[in-house]
Amino acid sequence: VGSKHEAAAPVPGYTFAFCGWLPGVIRDGGTRIDVDVEGFDFMVLDFDNKDHGVKVPRPVEQRVGIADILAALPFRAFVHTSHSHHPEVSTFRVILPLAERVSADEHYRIWCWLMERCDWKGDTSCKNESRFYYAPRSTPDAASNGWHKMQRVDGPTLRRANLPEGFTPAEPRQKSSGSNGPRNLRRVPQQGAH
């Protein structure tokens, strides 16, 4: 896990200052807007132990940790703490590979099911198709104190079939043409296996 300053170093061929990624696959010639996302190979849940739009942490008894979420999600995953992680207020991301690519409607349905399994403790703003996630990084304080964590979790790969038959999200997906950030982030051609 690099520091914020290491993560900010320019990467040749990228048009964005920080390294990061999208769980969605952008259509050829598309840009990072919701309507240009043609499918998903990963599900991502973000946990910052704050209510959406509120900067202060939840009360201690309402916070969740990595172990709590992994108990609710018994699937193959990669977990890492995020930049603002601190032992008192855990912030982390859970990345779950999918067995097969899913559409935006399927993505939303699976996302709602995963959030329901986690008692909706995740960041509810992190569901749009064009969501950009920064690569794992930590503050100098977290790095020097060993607070950052990265963990591979073994288990079955998440499939559409894991959802209960007939599961329907409580709220329909809000379709949007907008993005959550710069529109000039273009798909970078792959160079070898990643």
Side-chain angles (χ1 to χ4, degrees):
V1 178
S3 72
K4 180 177 181 179
H5 304 291
E6 290 167 342
V11 177
Y14 286 84
T15 58
F16 197 76
F18 289 96
C19 292
W21 61 286
L22 308 173
V25 177
I26 296 177
R27 69 176 172 79
D28 285 337
T31 59
R32 199 190 122 215
I33 59 174
D34 290 349
V35 296
D36 282 348
V37 177
E38 62 184 18
F40 293 84
D41 295 321
F42 299 91
M43 298 301 302
V44 181
L45 299 178
D46 215 47
F47 296 89
D48 59 9
N49 282 300
K50 297 175 187 154
D51 291 318
H52 180 60
V54 179
K55 301 282 184 204
V56 297
R58 290 182 180 133
V60 174
E61 65 276 2
Q62 294 178 13
R63 296 180 196 165
V64 294
I66 292 172
D68 302 316
I69 298 307
L70 294 182
L73 302 175
F75 302 105
R76 186 172 135 210
F78 176 72
V79 181
H80 68 83
T81 51
S82 50
H83 187 258
S84 58
H85 175 75
H86 188 277
E88 307 226 349
V89 182
S90 186
T91 63
F92 58 96
R93 186 165 296 135
V94 179
I95 303 161
L96 301 115
L98 291 163
E100 64 273 326
R101 183 167 291 168
V102 299
S103 69
D105 284 330
E106 291 170 311
H107 171 268
Y108 180 71
R109 183 172 168 258
I110 296 168
W111 182 87
C112 287
W113 180 71
L114 293 170
M115 288 288 284
E116 191 173 281
R117 289 182 63 97
C118 298
D119 294 325
W120 291 91
K121 297 284 187 174
D123 185 342
T124 58
S125 69
C126 295
K127 64 180 170 285
N128 59 307
E129 290 89 347
S130 59
R131 175 66 59 169
F132 177 87
Y133 294 96
Y134 290 105
R137 59 193 178 114
S138 64
T139 62
D141 228 14
S144 65
N145 288 300
W147 298 335
H148 55 276
K149 294 186 177 13
M150 297 178 93
Q151 177 181 352
R152 189 183 90 189
V153 180
D154 292 322
T157 303
L158 181 60
R159 302 176 170 283
R160 290 183 197 108
N162 292 119
L163 277 70
E165 191 174 325
F167 175 82
T168 304
E171 294 182 26
R173 179 172 77 90
Q174 301 295 315
K175 297 183 182 182
S176 143
S177 62
S179 83
N180 201 28
R183 293 176 187 263
N184 67 347
L185 182 66
R186 299 230 179 238
R187 183 182 220 172
V188 178
Q190 290 187 339
Q191 297 174 351
H194 296 286

